[in-house]
Amino acid sequence: MDSAILRIEHLTKVYPDGTRALDDVSFEVARGEFLVIIGLSGSGKSTLLRCINRLIEPTGGAVAFRGRDVVAASRHELREIRREIGMVFQQFNLVRRASVLTNVLTGRLGYVPPPWALANYFPPALVDRAFGSLERVGIPDKAYARADTLSGGQQQRVGIARALMQDPALILADEPVASLDPAMSHSVLRYIEELNRTDGITVICSLHFLSLARRYGTRILALKAGRIVFDGLPAEIDERRFKDIYGEEAVEVEIS
Amino acid sequence: MTPSAARARGGPAGAVASAPGGLRRRRGAVWYRSWRLYAGAAVAVAVYVYGWQVTQIRLGELWRGAYLIAPFASALASPDVFVRDNPTVRAAAPFYYGGESPPAAPAAPGPALRLSRAAGAIGDRVTATGAGFPPDRSGVLWWENQIGQRQRLAAVTTDRAGRFSATFTAPEVQGTHNLVSVEIVTGAGPLRLSPTFFVVLSRMVETVFLALMGTTMGVVFAVPCSFLGAKNLTGHIPGGRGVYALTRTVFNITRSIEALVLAIIFTVWVGLGPFAGVLALGVHSIASLGKLYSEAIESIETGPIEAIVATGASTLQVVRYGVVPQIVPQFIAFTIYRWDINVRFSTVIGFVGGGGIGFVLQQYINLLQWRQAATALWMIAIVVAALDYASAVVRERVV
Ligand SMILES: Nc1ncnc2c1ncn2[C@@H]1O[C@H](COP(=O)(O)OP(=O)(O)O)[C@@H](O)[C@H]1O
Ligand SMILES: [Mg+2]
């Protein structure tokens, strides 16, 4: 087995309206990396992340996760691939009316027999595990609260706990802190960093702010109009490269 | 047009532009100079004068007719709900028309009724005297004709010695062998529910079930139809826009027909009775629930569904954990709301022959049986308010 957990080759996505959101994107992600994807909004970050677990069908190119071809996977194979890839979203994407516990348990759906869903059955061991996940993100006391009664930061931690339930080898995080205030942003990113460092889960995380990317990323990949314009270490992004990525007018701001 | 432009041009154009908004008002154009104000006021006066005439408003009738409705007002305070079976003491004496005399009755101990004459003709003045009754009690003197039909002659009260006397006019009846009887109430019997109460209750039960069946019919058909009327679902299939437009149009047209009108149509179709009411409520409910359900489906958030798909969940699981929690509570809330409306509505659907409590209520009113009508009205008020409260509690829980 090679060290790359994910290999992307010549990935292209053209939307039906003709928008070329990804244009010949190729890169590899090594096991244990914390890869941050940066770029202006509209540069293709969300599209790239969603092509990895095929929430969006790529137009061309190849995606290999742990050596398995994602693009050619059958429905059944795709479910098996997806359950090993956790995903965290900018808008948290929790089921608002459901309890926190139920939201966390849905992270395990890829592993339980589908008919159980009819009876809303989860074995006690899984419920224990869900409480464990909530403990990891510091909110076990919220298990029975309705998801939409939590603050933004708490909801995103539920999102992380849900991803954790999948026992994932890879977590995709699409601007996980874009809806949160700076203090909350750090708190949430530290939980993701913890999973990366302690559990060895590979992370691909898109972020809007370079300062956050520098602080958390072990490697940074920059997109501009669907193309990779930078791929390297955080320290390598200087003034020149910054303006390349964000445009001449941009000024780097610090998120404290 | 900016204020300065209006001012620069001045003249009539500026004046027109000034009318609607304070900002654009030309200096000096005060509100009482606006011709629109006077035109608007004149139109309003004309509308209400015509409205007053066309609806035949005659406030005086509220006074003049008050005596007609007064018994109803007092009946509301004493609805026909309870009756008492009071123990009575009875005595009787014959009174024959047509020249024949009744046989002499043997003297017996105990209460006895004696008439000043035992035979005579219609219109005779007769005095009835009683003795041997309990003292200080009241009762009624009855006339019973040959086939036992009775009519009230007078109210009587016994004195300290247990006697009474009353004079009456021999009434006009068929047959010759009449009986005069007296019933003196000797005590207070236990209260029991009146026959009216049971009639009204059984009709109320019918009403509630009418609403239940109508609502159920609405739900059964509205759920599948609502998927066709949801833009976010039909948008993806070929011809979907047409299906969406057609479904929504049918919903809107059907909804615009009052359920009472539908009830009249269905009584022609399936005959008088609750079934016509069920159909009317059902059809109306399909349209209004269909629209509400469709809107609930359209408001589904795709984010949570995307998140659950990303966990590797199957379609069944996605529906169960991503779609159902988003629409089912709303469906339940809308259904309870509809059921509420339907219960209220089914109380009047009887007025046009659609069954339920409205049917007996209308009868009582037509026969001026105010106390019975009051019973029906109280029943409606209490049951509707109770169901209202119950559904509010349930709705609170699910949403
Ligand atoms: N469903 C879609 N249909 C058409 N164009 C889309 C769609 N989703 C995204 N795009 C376009 O694709 C480009 C990349 O979008 P996205 O991946 O969301 O970028 P980012 O996440 O970096 O903001 C943008 O130009 C966007 O307008
Ligand atoms: Mg995005």
Side-chain angles (χ1 to χ4, degrees), chain A residues 50 55 75 79 82-83 89 93-97 106 109-110 112 114 117 120 122 162 166, chain B residues 301 303-304 306-317 320-321 325-326 329-330 399:
Chain A
R50 281 170 175 71
L55 287 177
R75 278 169 68 98
R79 285 188 58 197
R82 278 177 178 162
R83 70 185 192 186
F89 302 83
N93 288 1
L94 304 181
V95 179
R96 292 169 186 275
R97 290 176 198 276
T106 59
L109 288 176
V112 302
N120 189 24
F122 290 99
R162 175 173 65 190
Q166 294 177 239
Chain B
E301 289 180 282
E306 182 183 42
I308 293 171
V309 169
T311 65
S314 70
T315 308
L316 173 71
Q317 291 169 324
R320 171 63 188 81
Y321 291 102
Q326 291 199 59
Q330 299 212 51
V399 181

Side-chain angles (χ1 to χ4, degrees), chain B residues 210 217 259-260 262-283 349 352-355:
Chain B
L210 199 160
M217 177 176 158
L260 213 52
L262 289 173
I264 294 171
I265 293 171
F266 280 114
T267 52
V268 173
W269 189 343
V270 302
L272 294 176
F275 183 49
V278 168
L279 289 172
L281 284 184
V283 169
I349 214 160
V352 298

Side-chain angles (χ1 to χ4, degrees), chain B residues 42-327:
Chain B
V43 168
V45 168
V47 164
Y48 282 102
V49 165
Y50 182 70
W52 189 276
Q53 283 173 356
V54 84
T55 57
Q56 301 177 12
I57 292 178
R58 287 162 303 170
L59 294 178
E61 290 303 318
L62 286 174
W63 289 116
R64 275 193 290 279
Y67 76 96
L68 291 170
I69 204 72
F72 177 52
S74 60
L76 276 180
S78 60
D80 179 8
V81 178
F82 294 108
V83 287
R84 250 181 223 287
D85 289 327
N86 292 331
T88 55
V89 177
R90 182 188 151 93
F95 189 95
Y96 284 8
Y97 288 157
E100 193 187 343
S101 282
L113 182 68
R114 237 172 274 288
L115 300 179
S116 56
R117 47 200 297 192
I122 293 169
D124 285 349
R125 293 292 288 170
V126 182
T127 300
T129 51
F133 289 95
D136 298 323
R137 301 279 174 183
S138 54
V140 176
L141 194 65
W142 299 98
W143 181 278
E144 297 175 17
N145 71 3
Q146 203 158 348
I147 56 169
Q149 292 173 326
R150 53 187 207 171
Q151 56 182 286
R152 199 184 150 103
L153 292 172
V156 296
T157 308
T158 58
D159 61 15
R160 259 203 217 142
R163 300 167 175 280
F164 69 85
S165 136
T167 304
F168 61 89
T169 307
E172 184 175 342
V173 293
Q174 304 279 312
T176 54
H177 291 42
N178 302 288
L179 200 64
V180 175
S181 67
V182 67
E183 278 170 7
I184 300 291
V185 177
T186 57
L191 274 184
R192 65 180 175 87
L193 290 164
S194 70
T196 305
F197 174 82
F198 287 104
V199 169
V200 165
L201 181 68
S202 75
R203 286 309 185 117
M204 192 72 227
V205 169
E206 180 184 304
T207 302
V208 169
F209 276 88
L210 199 160
L212 177 73
M213 299 310 280
T215 310
T216 307
M217 177 176 158
V219 172
V220 166
F221 290 95
V223 167
C225 292
S226 64
F227 288 89
L228 302 177
K231 210 181 255 171
N232 53 342
L233 297 185
T234 52
H236 304 296
I237 56 171
R241 303 226 36 106
V243 172
Y244 164 79
L246 182 72
T247 313
R248 282 301 183 96
T249 309
V250 170
F251 284 167
N252 283 335
I253 291 176
T254 313
R255 239 158 35 91
S256 69
I257 306 174
E258 260 303 321
L260 213 52
V261 177
L262 289 173
I264 294 171
I265 293 171
F266 280 114
T267 52
V268 173
W269 189 343
V270 302
L272 294 176
F275 183 49
V278 168
L279 289 172
L281 284 184
V283 169
H284 195 74
S285 300
I286 293 171
S288 30
L289 283 178
K291 180 161 184 282
L292 291 172
Y293 290 171
S294 295
E295 282 164 3
I297 295 171
E298 281 175 358
S299 70
I300 287 182
E301 289 180 282
T302 53
I305 296 174
E306 182 183 42
I308 293 171
V309 169
T311 65
S314 70
T315 308
L316 173 71
Q317 291 169 324
V318 172
V319 170
R320 171 63 188 81
Y321 291 102
V323 180
V324 166
Q326 291 199 59
I327 60 172

Side-chain angles (χ1 to χ4, degrees), chain A residues 15-22 39-48 50 56 174-175 206 223:
Chain A
Y15 282 108
D17 66 356
T19 309
R20 189 167 277 270
L22 292 177
L40 290 172
S41 64
S43 57
K45 303 184 292 296
S46 299
T47 306
L48 172 58
R50 281 170 175 71
I56 291 176
D174 187 12
E175 302 210 34
S206 68
L223 283 180

Side-chain angles (χ1 to χ4, degrees), chain A residues 9 16-18 50 56 66 69 88 95 99 103 109 114 122 127 131 133 150 152 157 189 200 209 231 234 244 248:
Chain A
E9 284 164 3
D17 66 356
R50 281 170 175 71
I56 291 176
R66 293 177 129 181
D69 185 345
V88 179
V95 179
S99 70
N103 270 288
L109 288 176
F122 290 99
V127 177
F131 271 99
S133 294
L150 271 58
R157 280 141 78 184
L189 283 171
F209 289 106
D231 183 352
D244 263 1
E248 291 298 330

Side-chain angles (χ1 to χ4, degrees), chain A residues 34 50 84:
Chain A
F34 194 123
R50 281 170 175 71
E84 290 173 33

